[in-house]
């Protein structure tokens, strides 16, 4: 608890934890406290029972042992007959790899799924060996039958805030890593980039229905009083060593109240942490407003995995701004682009074009490409690419027109270096490459912030390279070189004649 800076944990919570600790000690613990012989024997029996439950969470030791001793064909028959649920294979067998093998056999050959030969044929080609499924089952995936392979490339070295980084990117899009690497080279050769985290806080917005608009307004006004907010924050913060409630934004629609809780979450992305804190905070609200009706823990004002103006304006996760001055000769000699054309294109494509499309947070060329590639490599939630890719790219001349000043503003990068898929071997290795694996021992939250800075800077590199290629007309050529299988290509004249003939036939 040495890292806790907020209110102290409630005494009843401390008593609960103390009681639990007391129950889980070995018999030597009891003897040192002079317990009666009767209580000591009872405690030993409870300890043995708890030990068995820890070894077998289902509490059915005899069943688990019997399943483990049965043959694969017997297990398959029991699943098909409905005696054993296939999603319980890992727990009942106590062998994750064997559970995956049996599920693969069942899939495609049983009415539990589709009993389709195509499924059986496809699943036979899906790899499943050489992965520790104990790190996956019950944590990252259910009904596991294998895994997919995504190539990982590296781009770098990226000079950011005086440090050099090698950036792993998991992608199936040819030319993406090469193009990003070209942008990184331009940034590094120009002296590197500088980053700042201007805001940090994960959000969750429960939906509460009040009896009337008047009561909805009273709830809002009550929360906005500082003493009441501190009371809510104390409850919220008591649920985690790292959760620190910073604000509650109240939005009213009719008699519905949406409370957008915002909290720091250490090195975790923090959705579960904030949700747990919100549940505790709602108890305080319920005590003071017994007529309130919590309809949902999430009312979509959060906003998670959907485009929204509130994320774009208020931020969510880590709000990062990165800048660099790119030298004119680097643009000319390395990127093969004209500086004036690059600036003009950015204005009319990324700013005007996106505005004409009614974009929310999409004032960029392809930020989501880089965000998704690094998300996949480092074990982030890929669906949060939706809001994490919100990005504003700005390019303007500087140094009396000799160079360009470039920046990206990304208000909602939602990342963590603990939790989710970050503990998986491959993803953990990629985080280690970046120097931000796990939780920071000295400054909780520093590793997650560093990852967000790296992502934003790599996005800027990707933006620089793509915009230079577009302004110089190189995009199609580079994709043909990096994103196509080698095959003899017909001449351009043949392609045009073939297209004309097809059009005439239509």
């Amino acid at each position: 608890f040495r890292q806790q800076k907020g209110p102290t944990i409630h005494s009843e919570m401390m008593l609960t934890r103390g009681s639990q600790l007391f129950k889980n000690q070995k018999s030597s613990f009891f003897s040192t406290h002079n317990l009666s012989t009767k209580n000591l024997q009872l405690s030993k029996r409870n300890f043995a029972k708890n030990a068995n439950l820890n070894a077998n969470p289902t509490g059915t030791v005899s069943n688990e042992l019997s399943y483990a001793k049965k043959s694969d064909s017997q297990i398959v028959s029991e699943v098909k007959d409905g005696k054993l649920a296939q999603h319980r294979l890992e727990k009942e067998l106590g062998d994750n790899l064997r559970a995956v093998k049996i599920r693969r056999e069942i899939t495609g050959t049983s009415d539990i799924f589709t009993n389709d030969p195509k499924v059986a044929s496809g699943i036979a080609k899906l790899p499943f060996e050489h992965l520790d499924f104990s790190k996956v089952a019950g944590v990252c995936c259910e009904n596991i039958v294998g895994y997919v392979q995504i190539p990982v490339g590296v781009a770098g070295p990226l000079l950011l805030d005086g440090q050099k980084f090698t950036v792993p990117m998991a992608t199936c899009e040819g030319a993406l890593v090469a193009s990003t690497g070209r942008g990184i080279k331009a940034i590094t050769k120009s002296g590197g980039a500088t980053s700042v985290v201007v805001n940090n806080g994960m959000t969750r917005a429960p939906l509460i229905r009040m009896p009337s608009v008047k009561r909805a307004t009273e709830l809002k006004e009550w929360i906005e009083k500082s003493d009441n907010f501190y009371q809510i924050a104390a409850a919220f913060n008591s649920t985690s060593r790292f959760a620190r409630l910073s604000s509650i934004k109240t939005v009213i629609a009719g008699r519905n109240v949406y409370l957008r809780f915002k909290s720091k979450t250490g090195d975790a992305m923090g959705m579960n942490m904030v949700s747990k804190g919100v549940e505790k905070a709602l108890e305080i609200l319920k005590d003071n407003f017994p007529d309130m009706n919590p309809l949902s823990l999430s009312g979509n004002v959060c906003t998670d995995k959907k485009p929204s103006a509130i994320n774009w304006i208020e931020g969510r996760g880590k709000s990062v701004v990165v800048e660099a001055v790119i030298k004119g000769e680097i643009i000319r000699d390395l990127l093969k682009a004209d500086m004036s054309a690059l600036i003009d294109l950015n204005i009319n494509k990324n700013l005007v074009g996106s505005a004409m499309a009614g974009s929310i947070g999409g004032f960029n060329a392809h930020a989501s490409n880089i965000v998704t590639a690094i998300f996949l490599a480092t074990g982030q939630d890929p669906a949060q690419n939706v809001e994490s890719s919100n990005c504003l790219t700005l390019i303007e001349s500087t140094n009396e027109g000799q160079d360009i000043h470039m920046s990206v503003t990304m208000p909602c990068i939602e990342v963590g270096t603990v939790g989710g898929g970050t503990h998986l071997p491959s993803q953990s290795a990629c985080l280690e490459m970046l120097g931000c694996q796990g939780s920071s021992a000295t400054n909780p939250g520093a590793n997650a912030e560093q990852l967000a800075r790296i992502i934003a800077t790599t996005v800027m590199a990707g933006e620089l390279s793509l915009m230079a290629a577009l302004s110089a007309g190189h995009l199609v050529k580079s994709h043909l070189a990096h994103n196509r299988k080698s095959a003899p290509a017909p001449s351009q004249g043949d392609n045009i004649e073939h297209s004309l003939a097809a059009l005439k036939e239509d």
Side-chain angles (χ1 to χ4, degrees), residues 123-411:
I123 211 165
K125 299 168 186 173
L126 186 69
F128 69 97
E129 296 176 315
H130 312 300
L131 180 64
D132 184 0
F133 288 108
S134 67
K135 296 181 182 298
V136 180
V139 180
C140 298
C141 189
E142 301 78 38
N143 296 346
I144 306 165
V145 293
Y147 56 88
V148 297
Q149 298 146 311
I150 303 177
V152 177
V154 291
L158 170 64
L159 182 58
L160 167 62
D161 298 326
Q163 291 182 268
K164 288 186 176 180
F165 299 91
T166 298
V167 184
M169 302 173 67
T171 182
C172 296
E173 181 181 351
L176 178 60
V177 176
S179 176
T180 305
R182 187 175 78 134
I184 286 177
K185 187 176 182 180
I187 292 170
T188 300
K189 279 183 169 291
S190 296
T194 303
S195 68
V196 291
V197 177
V198 297
N199 206 344
N200 184 354
M202 180 49 64
T203 63
R204 174 61 88 195
L207 165 58
I208 299 170
R209 176 165 292 164
M210 301 301 289
S212 65
V213 172
K214 184 175 182 296
R215 288 292 284 163
T217 304
E218 289 172 355
L219 173 61
K220 177 180 182 294
E221 292 172 348
W222 187 90
I223 291 171
E224 290 173 349
K225 292 180 179 179
S226 59
D227 288 347
N228 297 332
F229 173 80
Y230 292 142
Q231 185 182 354
I232 296 169
F236 185 101
N237 295 349
S238 72
T239 61
S240 169
R241 291 180 296 161
F242 304 107
R244 294 295 173 267
L245 184 65
S246 57
S247 67
I248 304 174
K249 181 180 179 66
T250 307
V251 178
I252 294 179
R255 60 187 180 128
N256 290 340
V257 182
Y258 303 83
L259 301 176
R260 194 174 192 257
F261 288 75
K262 188 171 187 177
S263 169
K264 288 190 174 182
T265 56
D267 283 305
M269 182 271 288
M271 282 293 297
N272 291 337
M273 189 186 300
V274 174
S275 295
K276 187 177 178 182
V278 167
E279 285 189 329
K280 192 69 176 178
L282 290 179
E283 294 178 10
I284 301 296
L285 294 178
K286 187 70 173 176
D287 289 342
N288 289 275
F289 292 86
D291 55 349
M292 79 177 205
N293 179 20
L295 294 184
S296 173
L297 186 64
S298 172
N300 275 10
V301 179
C302 312
T303 298
D304 189 42
K305 301 173 184 176
K306 292 168 282 294
S308 72
I310 197 167
N311 285 349
W312 177 240
I313 297 168
E314 299 280 345
R316 190 173 196 252
K318 279 68 177 169
S319 300
V320 185
V321 182
V322 182
E323 67 176 352
V325 173
I326 312 300
K327 295 180 179 179
E329 59 265 28
I330 298 295
I331 296 171
R332 182 185 64 246
D333 299 336
L334 176 61
L335 300 179
K336 312 296 183 186
D338 177 77
M339 205 165 64
S340 298
L342 178 59
I343 294 169
D344 183 60
L345 178 63
N346 186 69
I347 293 170
N348 289 286
K349 169 183 164 62
N350 288 341
L351 305 184
V352 178
S354 295
M356 295 302 294
S359 178
I360 297 177
F363 297 89
N364 59 81
H366 71 146
S368 63
N369 254 337
I370 290 87
V371 171
T372 303
I374 301 178
F375 267 35
L376 291 173
T378 58
Q380 310 305 311
D381 186 338
Q384 289 183 320
N385 160 69
V386 175
E387 60 268 38
S388 295
S389 297
N390 282 355
C391 175
L392 170 65
T393 300
L394 296 176
I395 303 175
E396 55 188 324
S397 64
T398 190
N399 296 333
E400 298 181 347
Q402 299 300 307
D403 308 315
I404 65 167
H405 178 276
M406 183 172 187
S407 68
V408 294
T409 301
M410 303 185 70

Side-chain angles (χ1 to χ4, degrees), residues 21 27 62 74 89 92 156 188 191 215 219-220 271 296 337 344 346 354 361 365 402 412 425 464-465 476 479:
L21 179 64
S27 59
S62 58
Q74 288 176 309
L89 285 171
E92 299 295 350
T188 300
R215 288 292 284 163
L219 173 61
K220 177 180 182 294
M271 282 293 297
S296 173
D344 183 60
N346 186 69
S354 295
Q402 299 300 307
C412 35
L464 176 60
S465 182
V476 175
H479 269 267

